[in-house]
Amino acid sequence: MTQASTANTTARKRRYSAGLQLPYTHLLGDADSREQLPTPSLLVDEEALGRNIARMAQFTRQAGLKLRPHIKTHKCSQIARLQLAAGAVGISCATLDEAEAMADAGITGILLTSTIVTQDKLERYLRLLRQAPDTLLVLDHPEPVSRLSTLAQAAGLQAGVLIDLDIGYHRSGVRTEEQAGAVVRAIQDSPALKLLGVQAYSGAIQHIAGLDQRKAVLTEQMSALSRLLAHIQASTGQLPICSGGGTGTHALDAQQGIFTELQAGSYVFMDADYARIDLGEPPFETSLRLRASVVSVNCDDLDGDERFVILDSGTKSFALNGPAPVCLTAPWENASFRFMGDEHAHLILAPGSAPPRIGTGLEFQVSHCDPTVHHFDHLYVVRGETLTDIWPIDARGRS
Amino acid sequence: MTQASTANTTARKRRYSAGLQLPYTHLLGDADSREQLPTPSLLVDEEALGRNIARMAQFTRQAGLKLRPHIKTHKCSQIARLQLAAGAVGISCATLDEAEAMADAGITGILLTSTIVTQDKLERYLRLLRQAPDTLLVLDHPEPVSRLSTLAQAAGLQAGVLIDLDIGYHRSGVRTEEQAGAVVRAIQDSPALKLLGVQAYSGAIQHIAGLDQRKAVLTEQMSALSRLLAHIQASTGQLPICSGGGTGTHALDAQQGIFTELQAGSYVFMDADYARIDLGEPPFETSLRLRASVVSVNCDDLDGDERFVILDSGTKSFALNGPAPVCLTAPWENASFRFMGDEHAHLILAPGSAPPRIGTGLEFQVSHCDPTVHHFDHLYVVRGETLTDIWPIDARGRS
């Protein structure tokens, strides 16, 4: 290690032992610490992560777009800081809890991409707005608009809001010109609210594997977006923000000339789902791995498809919604993965291959990065075989 | 409220504001606090939970069995304490992390039901054994037996161990007499290890819906268990512990006369999966509910199957592996549930029924209790419409 990185490691060990309750800090900086990590655990390749962050920053800059990356993927303020340092205008959050955790970590430019509607959460939103005044919220119904307006006026605050548009995914948002008009009027009625733009996000489209099929669905959705946007602009004038897009469509989104900023998030980590998707060009690397141990090897009496060993990682580690995790550790790349409950899985050995010894550490490309990260409290950051940092997943929590 | 319960509530408010970082303690004891809880959140009906705990305690006592309930269901030391107070001899834990959290909370009689094999975890196990000397571990291979033996001898400790038997589920354990013999000999070779019995758990069988089909599979597995147990006893003498069983088979397990103790866990909460299973008699109640809010209502332009509202609870709240969550809040019991990503779901309205207003709180029987609880940090304990306590899910964490 260089002198600078040794000093870094010492500072990190001190930081952790001083305050944060983090496990396994004693391994920081040890040459072979990666293989001593407890399992199941999530590892991030520091260099691959850095390249992914730089590439998306460069892509959006060259496309003339702003980047407000979605942190529901990583839920980690350390990664959000790296994204902001690379030029992001802020971050997108899925839940109020995430937004509060990020604001507590000093992150600014937060867009809350899910509407909130209850009195309690609207009050929490105003506390957040006092702490981080540039925080934005999406809304899709006159009732919470009016409720927020009353609360904001009473508190003497002004909230910047976007209208959430449903352009075909049917998760949230207004779908018709009538619905959009009602929300616009409710916002215009309130001196405490400032309409800054629209959001249009389409989750399922990100996962359409073929580039042409994805392009066809996107084109249809962009026409719905243009129509609703034109209708809203007719009564409000030009709006500064049109936010949306994702990792799966980022190259296509940029060609449409409609979005002003992208919310892509998964590009930081990638996963087995994105690995099977044709992104046009493959500019992002798998930087996230789940490390598991082989904890039971009693397959000497088994044949064929049923020669398996047991891993200590099940549905409480790997997310279920995605393709099966892929073993990245040689020579078991051709072994297949099968869930066996909350804490265990089978690694089914390819014909003729030797089983790993009991205790062997194996690393996997995860099924789906967002809900996998949600299972864990920490990211172990590695560079080669060395643990270089441990980052709390500080926005992990209720959904 | 009675004077005693008011005093309790005051003490709880003080406890929480003093030390623990818990949310929403200001609602404790308020008459209509249930409907003010944030969403998504997990609620436990204190009275139904108490009845479930008492019923399983009484059942095992009458059957002449010990109860060592599995806490991977609730991961909550407060519930473990209630189970011990009702007569359980200890608890079962799925992971070393769970066992450490429970020991830190003062729980004794811990059985770690998953084998551990790496140097690091075996060392942590010995630290746990120093803290809670009656902690038991299952093993299924001579290598970790020998590694534990060396470590325990060096530490001057004696560890009580069980042999894990695979009786048909193929998750872990020895399957053949040869494999069992090798583990027995390795344990017998070590003065630091004491063989106290066997474990045989069969997860999938718990979820076979029909009682007769479940009985047929169980009978076959019990014959494998008897055979392996007799083989082990031939070289070791009678063993005091034969641990296994679960909520789905508890009545059948007790009839076999082989188990000395049951590990049932789900009976505390129950879920939509267990609700469709014929348990012979239905003695357990659904005490766990997930509360969600309706956050988007823009269905006025939709017809038929596609009349839906949006809930703030997706795959980061409800577990995916189980039947769909069931709405328990009138009049939406006939509405169906469809996942829409990490944070959202559709509630598809039954034909002719009125949509709930935006902001309405709805409660659900969860799909599968164990992995649902794993998503959350707290249980909100309710009695009628009142929040009576907040329990940290203190063993939530890596797997």
Side-chain angles (χ1 to χ4, degrees):
Chain A
M1 293 177 85
T2 64
Q3 205 172 1
S5 69
T6 309
N8 258 343
T9 302
T10 310
R12 281 169 185 163
K13 285 198 187 195
R14 203 178 307 122
R15 164 158 58 101
Y16 292 133
S17 60
L20 289 167
Q21 285 290 317
L22 286 177
Y24 289 85
T25 53
H26 62 281
L27 295 178
L28 281 166
D30 290 358
D32 61 347
S33 39
R34 183 175 187 152
E35 70 179 52
Q36 296 174 61
L37 288 171
T39 56
S41 54
L42 274 185
L43 275 59
V44 176
D45 181 314
E46 194 172 10
E47 295 167 299
L49 174 74
R51 286 190 292 269
N52 286 346
I53 289 174
R55 280 176 189 141
M56 186 61 95
Q58 187 187 22
F59 170 81
T60 46
R61 199 164 43 238
Q62 286 178 345
L65 289 168
K66 289 175 179 163
L67 177 63
R68 203 184 299 264
H70 216 303
I71 65 92
K72 69 174 183 164
T73 300
H74 57 70
K75 289 178 174 269
C76 171
S77 58
Q78 297 265 19
I79 297 181
R81 265 190 285 275
L82 295 175
Q83 292 172 309
L84 290 171
V89 295
I91 58 164
S92 299
C93 291
T95 69
L96 183 59
D97 291 75
E98 283 179 3
E100 288 170 338
M102 291 293 129
D104 285 346
I107 306 295
T108 54
I110 299 169
L111 166 63
L112 184 44
T113 62
S114 304
T115 187
I116 54 173
V117 303
T118 57
Q119 188 78 5
D120 161 54
K121 288 204 176 172
L122 291 167
E123 285 170 7
R124 282 169 55 189
Y125 184 75
L126 289 180
R127 283 201 289 279
L128 182 60
L129 200 61
R130 205 168 258 134
Q131 184 181 351
D134 62 354
T135 304
L136 302 171
L137 173 63
V138 306
L139 292 164
D140 76 354
H141 197 278
E143 252 186 69
V145 169
S146 139
R147 207 169 288 151
L148 177 63
S149 165
T150 307
L151 290 169
Q153 267 190 282
L157 291 168
Q158 193 176 50
V161 299
L162 309 185
I163 300 179
D164 192 19
L165 308 183
D166 178 358
I167 53 169
Y169 184 34
H170 302 335
R171 185 156 75 185
S172 62
V174 299
R175 268 184 315 282
T176 66
E177 295 187 355
E178 292 67 32
Q179 291 167 351
V183 181
V184 167
R185 282 190 299 279
I187 295 172
Q188 286 178 328
D189 280 351
S190 168
L193 303 184
K194 192 169 169 59
L195 180 61
L196 294 178
V198 301
Q199 163 182 274
Y201 179 67
S202 197
I205 195 177
Q206 308 299 326
H207 306 279
I208 298 174
L211 185 62
D212 289 343
Q213 293 92 309
R214 203 161 351 112
K215 203 167 187 171
V217 177
L218 184 78
T219 306
E220 197 179 308
Q221 296 193 342
M222 284 299 122
S223 125
L225 169 56
S226 298
R227 202 180 57 247
L228 282 169
L229 187 55
H231 179 78
I232 293 169
Q233 285 175 336
S235 58
T236 61
Q238 202 64 28
L239 291 168
I241 299 177
C242 181
S243 185
T247 298
T249 51
H250 72 281
L252 303 170
D253 294 329
Q255 291 163 8
Q256 305 292 324
I258 301 174
F259 288 122
T260 63
E261 61 180 51
L262 296 190
Q263 296 179 1
S266 302
Y267 73 91
V268 291
F269 290 153
M270 304 303 281
D271 55 31
D273 188 48
Y274 273 112
R276 67 180 180 81
I277 290 174
D278 174 9
L279 294 182
E281 47 175 340
F284 302 111
E285 304 167 48
T286 299
S287 67
L288 184 77
R289 289 173 169 222
L290 200 151
R291 188 175 175 92
S293 292
V294 176
V295 291
S296 184
V297 179
N298 284 311
C299 55
D300 46 311
D301 64 319
L302 300 173
D303 293 320
D305 276 1
E306 283 307 320
R307 269 179 76 243
F308 57 78
V309 298
I310 314 287
L311 305 171
D312 60 353
S313 52
T315 60
K316 285 179 179 169
S317 309
F318 283 108
L320 274 163
N321 48 354
V326 177
C327 186
L328 300 174
T329 302
W332 296 285
E333 297 97 332
N334 293 320
S336 56
F337 182 99
R338 176 166 62 201
F339 283 106
M340 281 300 288
D342 291 347
E343 330 283 352
H344 296 93
H346 282 175
L347 187 75
I348 305 169
L349 303 170
S353 71
R357 280 186 68 121
I358 194 164
T360 302
L362 298 176
E363 296 184 5
F364 291 83
Q365 186 181 49
V366 308
S367 42
H368 187 175
C369 53
D370 302 18
T372 300
V373 170
H374 168 74
H375 287 311
F376 290 84
D377 290 331
H378 308 100
L379 291 170
Y380 292 98
V381 186
V382 295
R383 195 177 273 258
E385 294 309 304
T386 302
L387 176 70
T388 58
D389 212 341
I390 306 172
W391 293 339
I393 303 174
D394 39 358
R396 197 218 67 81
R398 279 160 306 156
S399 92
Chain B
M1 293 176 85
T2 65
Q3 205 172 1
S5 69
T6 308
N8 257 344
T9 301
T10 309
R12 281 169 184 164
K13 285 198 186 195
R14 202 176 308 122
R15 164 158 59 99
Y16 292 132
S17 60
L20 289 167
Q21 284 289 319
L22 287 177
Y24 289 85
T25 52
H26 62 282
L27 295 178
L28 280 165
D30 290 357
D32 60 346
S33 38
R34 182 176 188 152
E35 69 177 53
Q36 296 175 61
L37 288 171
T39 56
S41 55
L42 274 185
L43 274 59
V44 176
D45 181 314
E46 194 172 10
E47 294 166 300
L49 174 74
R51 285 190 293 269
N52 286 346
I53 289 174
R55 279 175 191 143
M56 186 60 94
Q58 187 187 21
F59 171 80
T60 46
R61 198 164 44 238
Q62 287 177 347
L65 290 167
K66 290 175 177 161
L67 177 62
R68 203 185 296 265
H70 217 303
I71 66 92
K72 70 174 182 163
T73 300
H74 56 68
K75 290 178 174 266
C76 171
S77 58
Q78 297 264 19
I79 297 180
R81 265 190 284 277
L82 294 175
Q83 291 172 310
L84 290 170
V89 295
I91 58 163
S92 300
C93 291
T95 69
L96 183 59
D97 292 76
E98 283 179 4
E100 288 171 337
M102 290 294 127
D104 285 345
I107 305 296
T108 55
I110 298 170
L111 166 62
L112 183 45
T113 63
S114 304
T115 187
I116 54 174
V117 303
T118 56
Q119 189 76 6
D120 160 56
K121 288 202 176 173
L122 291 167
E123 285 170 7
R124 282 168 55 189
Y125 184 74
L126 288 180
R127 282 201 290 279
L128 181 60
L129 200 60
R130 204 167 260 132
Q131 184 180 353
D134 62 353
T135 304
L136 302 170
L137 173 63
V138 306
L139 292 163
D140 76 354
H141 196 277
E143 253 186 68
V145 170
S146 141
R147 208 169 289 153
L148 177 63
S149 166
T150 306
L151 290 169
Q153 268 190 279
L157 292 168
Q158 193 177 50
V161 299
L162 310 185
I163 300 179
D164 192 20
L165 308 184
D166 178 358
I167 53 169
Y169 184 32
H170 303 334
R171 185 157 73 184
S172 63
V174 299
R175 267 183 316 279
T176 66
E177 295 186 356
E178 292 66 32
Q179 292 166 352
V183 181
V184 167
R185 283 191 299 280
I187 295 172
Q188 285 178 329
D189 281 351
S190 170
L193 303 184
K194 193 170 169 57
L195 180 60
L196 295 177
V198 301
Q199 163 182 276
Y201 179 68
S202 198
I205 195 177
Q206 307 299 326
H207 306 280
I208 298 174
L211 184 62
D212 289 344
Q213 293 93 307
R214 203 162 349 114
K215 204 167 185 170
V217 177
L218 183 78
T219 305
E220 197 179 308
Q221 297 193 342
M222 285 298 121
S223 128
L225 169 56
S226 298
R227 200 180 60 248
L228 282 169
L229 187 55
H231 178 78
I232 292 168
Q233 285 174 337
S235 57
T236 60
Q238 202 64 30
L239 292 167
I241 298 176
C242 182
S243 185
T247 298
T249 53
H250 73 282
L252 303 170
D253 295 328
Q255 291 163 9
Q256 305 293 323
I258 302 174
F259 289 121
T260 63
E261 59 180 53
L262 296 190
Q263 296 179 1
S266 302
Y267 72 92
V268 292
F269 289 154
M270 304 303 281
D271 55 32
D273 188 46
Y274 273 111
R276 67 181 180 81
I277 289 173
D278 174 9
L279 294 182
E281 46 174 341
F284 302 111
E285 304 168 47
T286 299
S287 68
L288 185 76
R289 290 173 168 220
L290 200 151
R291 189 174 173 93
S293 293
V294 175
V295 291
S296 184
V297 179
N298 284 311
C299 55
D300 45 310
D301 63 320
L302 300 172
D303 292 320
D305 276 1
E306 285 306 321
R307 267 180 75 244
F308 57 80
V309 298
I310 314 288
L311 306 171
D312 59 355
S313 52
T315 61
K316 285 179 179 169
S317 310
F318 285 108
L320 274 164
N321 47 354
V326 177
C327 187
L328 300 173
T329 303
W332 296 285
E333 297 97 332
N334 294 320
S336 55
F337 182 99
R338 176 166 60 201
F339 283 107
M340 282 299 287
D342 292 345
E343 329 283 351
H344 296 93
H346 282 176
L347 187 75
I348 305 169
L349 302 170
S353 72
R357 279 186 68 122
I358 195 163
T360 303
L362 299 177
E363 295 185 5
F364 290 84
Q365 186 181 47
V366 308
S367 42
H368 187 177
C369 52
D370 302 19
T372 300
V373 170
H374 168 75
H375 288 310
F376 290 84
D377 291 330
H378 307 100
L379 292 170
Y380 292 98
V381 186
V382 295
R383 195 176 273 258
E385 295 309 303
T386 302
L387 177 71
T388 58
D389 212 341
I390 306 172
W391 294 340
I393 302 173
D394 38 359
R396 197 217 67 80
R398 279 161 306 155
S399 93

